[in-house]
Amino acid sequence: MIVDDKQEMEGFWISGAIHAIKALSYVYDLLTFPVYLILQRPWEKRKASRRIKARPILKDDNQITYRSVDSPGPMHIMLEREKVDTLEKVLLWVTKMHGDKRCLGTRQILAEEDEPQPNGRIFKKYKMGEYKWKSFNDVERLAASFGRGLVELGMKPRKNIVIFAETRAEWMIAAHSCFKQNFIVVTIYATLGDEAIAHGINETEVDTVITSHELLPKFKRLLDMVPEVKTIIYMEDQLKPTITTGYKDGVRLVPFSDVIKMGNSSTASANSPKSDDTAIIMYTSGSTGIPKGVLLSHKNIISTLKAFCDAVQIYSDDVFLGFLPLAHVFELLAESVCLLSGVPIGYSSPLTLIDSSSKIQRGSKGDASVLHPTCLTAVPLILDRISKGINEKVKKSGPFRQAIFNFAYEYKLKWTKRGYETPLFDKYIFGAAKQVLGGRIRLVLCGGAPLSPDTHNQIKLCLCVTVTQGYGLTETTSCATVMDMHDRTTGRVGAPTTICDIRLENWEEAGYRVKDHPHPRGEIVIGGDIVSAGYYKLPDKTKEDFFQEDGRQWFRTGDIGEIHPDGSIMIIDRKKDLVKLQLGEYVSLGKVESELKTCPVVENICVYGDANKAYTVALVVPNQHYLEEIANNLDITGKTLEELCSNPQIEKAVLQELVEQAKKCKLQRFEIPGAVKLCAEQWSPDMGLVTAAFKLKRKAVQERYQHEINRMYAS
C-alpha cells in the first residue's frame, strides 16, 4: 500500500512538472515566435518541400513515365566538359584537383588487451590511436603501383579478379588499381557462406583473389571448391603476422604490400578502359536464390555519380564515415561520390564504430568520436537498432527524464512539421544523442530496404540530422530516386534522378494501375545510362528483366510504386512479397514486416502467408532485453533465451505486442499475424537466412522453419 502511494505521489509530481514545463514552453513560444518566424522563414522550407520534382513525359492507359525537372549540377557539367567517363579518369582528375588533401583514413590499432568484465569473463579489446591518412596523391600512387604489381603477377586486361574483403582503405586502392589496368573487379560479400563465395569465384573463372588477413583462413576450406584459383593476395593485419602455412599446394599467397613493391619497380604501362567496358561484376545479395553477377560498366557508374552529385549537397569540410560493405553497390557509389568531391573517408567497422562497440576498451573512444564525421550511409536495420537503443536508454533514465524526453520529442516533431528548427531543444535535450556519432553528423544516406516513417522521424529528430532515403538496385547501379534535400516528408524515396526515367506499368493481377486514384500505381521500370547490360552468363534471366527501347536500356524491378503529385515515389509493394489469402485479400509481407520491425521486442521478423488460410503468421527473432522484461512482468525468471522463446505465455504476450503495434501502424485486420513463433538464433548471412545486406531470404527462412509454420497454423 505504501509503495502504491509512493508511486502515485511520484506520478502526480511528474505530471505537475510536465504541465509546468508545457506552460513555460507556451510562454517561450509566444515570446520567440516572431523572432523565429523572421530568422527561419518556415514558409520557404514548406514551399521547397512541396515543389514539383518530376513530371510525366509519356502517358497511356497501361503506363506512365516520369522525368526529373532538375538541371544537371556543377559537378555533373564538369564531368561532361572534362570528358571524365571512366573510373580511371575520376581518380586522375580528383588527384589533380585535391593532391595533398586527406583522402582515405585508417585508425591505428596499438594493441589488443584483455579486459575483465563485471561477470568475470575476459574479452579482448583494442587499444586504439588516431586516424592515419593517405592523401589523394598517395592513393593514386599506390593504386598505380598495385595495378602494375598485378600485371607482374600475370593479370591481363579484361580479365576478372575477385575482391573478397571487409571495407577498408586497401579495398578502394585495390579496386582503383584494377580500373587503371582494365581488369574487371568481381565483388563478393565478406559475410557470405562458402557455397555462395565459391559460386562467384567459379562462375567468373577467376585465378587471382584479393582478400584480407581475417578472411584468408577461409581459403583453407575454399581452395578445394575453387580449383582455378592460383594466387591469393592478402591485406595485412596491423598487429598480427599472417600465417600462410596449411594451404593447398600450388597456390601462392602474396602480401598486399609486396604487390605494391613489385609495382614500384615494374615498367608495365596502364591499359586504360573505355566507357562501355565492364568495370565491376557485382554479385547481388541473392534474396530469392543464388547470387547473380550484375555487369556494371564505367558508364553506368559515372552516370550514377553524376546523379548523386546533383541530388546530394556536399560541402568542402565534410568527412565521411565508411563502414558498410564496399561489395554493396550503395556504399561503393556513396564513397565514390566522396572521392569525386574531395571528401575524406575514414574507415570503421561495427566492432569499433561507437564508444560502446564490442572491441572498444572501457573508457576509450569509438571511431565516430575520434573522426567526427558529417556524413554516413546506413541501411534501415542499423537505423532501427539506433532508434531502439535511444528508446531503451530513455526508458532506463527514469520516469521524469522519460516524460521530459517524450514532451521534447513531440514538441520538436510539431514545430519541424511546420518548417521550424528548435535550437535550444537540439542542444540541451538531444545533444547527448548526437554525440554518439561524433557530434557533427548532418546527413545520413539510407538505402537497401524500406525505412519505416517512425524510425526516419526518430533518427532525424533525436540525432538532429537530415535522413535522405534513396531507391535503386544493383541492376541500376544503386541509382533511381533520391529524396530532395528540402523534402520534409517520410515514407517516400524521392523523385527520379537527373540521369534516368521511371515508368509505372499496370500490374493487373494485383489491381495496381496507372489510372488509380488518388495516385498512379504500378510496377517500377527504370531506364537510362545507369541500367546494367544484364546478368553475367545468364542470358535468359537478362532477357526476362532487361529490354531496349528507343536506344535506352530498361530494367523491370518487380517493385510496386505509387507516384505523388510532386513526382516523388513511395514503394508500396513487391511482386515477390505479395500473397493472396483464402478470402481473396492481398498481403504485402515486406510492408507488414517493415511496420512490425518498429515494435521494441522485434530484432528481426519474417511474416508468412498461406494461400489456404485467412491470416498470416510471424517468425520473430526477439530483442533479448525486451523479452526478459516481458518475462519479468509475467513472473518468469531464471530462464535461458531458448527457454523464454519456447514458453507459450511469452509467445502470447509477444503476439499481443505485435497486434498493438500493427494497430498503431494502421495495418488491416487480415495483415496482422494470427500466431507467432520466437526464434532464439540470430539470423545472419552465414546461416543463409538473410543476405549480406540483411534482407530476408524468405524462401530459406520458410524452409528452415516449415515445421513451426505448420504448427502455428495448426494451433
Side-chain angles (χ1 to χ4, degrees), residues 40 61 133 195 206 368 401 541 551 564 589 594 623 629 693:
Q40 297 188 7
D61 288 348
W133 292 91
E195 284 183 17
V206 158
R401 286 190 175 184
K541 186 64 180 160
H564 293 179
L589 303 175
S594 176
N623 176 295
E629 205 171 273

Side-chain angles (χ1 to χ4, degrees), residues 115 117 125 349-369 389 393 435-436:
E115 181 181 277
Q117 302 303 302
K125 304 273 185 170
S349 81
L351 300 177
T352 60
L353 183 64
I354 58 175
D355 297 355
S356 58
S357 290
S358 59
K359 273 287 190 179
I360 295 293
Q361 277 185 340
R362 202 180 297 118
S364 299
K365 291 187 181 297
D367 298 337
S369 298
K393 204 164 184 181
Q435 291 305 318
V436 170

Side-chain angles (χ1 to χ4, degrees), residues 486-552:
H486 303 295
D487 193 343
R488 305 176 78 80
T489 62
T490 57
R492 308 191 304 172
V493 293
T497 57
T498 51
I499 210 82
C500 70
D501 291 341
I502 291 188
R503 177 183 296 167
L504 296 189
E505 290 185 353
N506 289 349
W507 186 28
E508 297 289 350
E509 184 188 342
Y512 292 117
R513 301 178 184 89
V514 296
K515 293 278 190 182
D516 289 346
H517 290 287
H519 307 300
R521 305 187 300 171
E523 180 182 2
I524 297 171
V525 186
I526 300 165
D529 287 344
I530 55 172
V531 179
S532 160
Y535 298 117
Y536 186 68
K537 291 185 178 177
L538 292 172
D540 292 343
K541 186 64 180 160
T542 297
K543 200 172 177 183
E544 182 185 330
D545 292 347
F546 295 86
F547 64 95
Q548 284 265 332
E549 186 179 286
D550 300 328
R552 300 186 94 188

Side-chain angles (χ1 to χ4, degrees), residues 683-696:
W683 298 341
S684 59
D686 53 2
M687 287 173 68
L689 300 182
V690 292
T691 70
F694 289 92
K695 291 181 195 168
L696 277 180

Side-chain angles (χ1 to χ4, degrees), residues 194-220:
D194 288 359
E195 284 183 17
I197 298 164
H199 167 75
I201 292 173
N202 289 331
E203 188 172 71
T204 52
E205 300 171 48
V206 158
D207 63 16
T208 302
V209 172
I210 302 169
T211 189
S212 66
H213 166 91
E214 290 80 8
L215 294 173
L216 182 62
K218 271 187 180 248
F219 285 89
K220 287 184 176 175

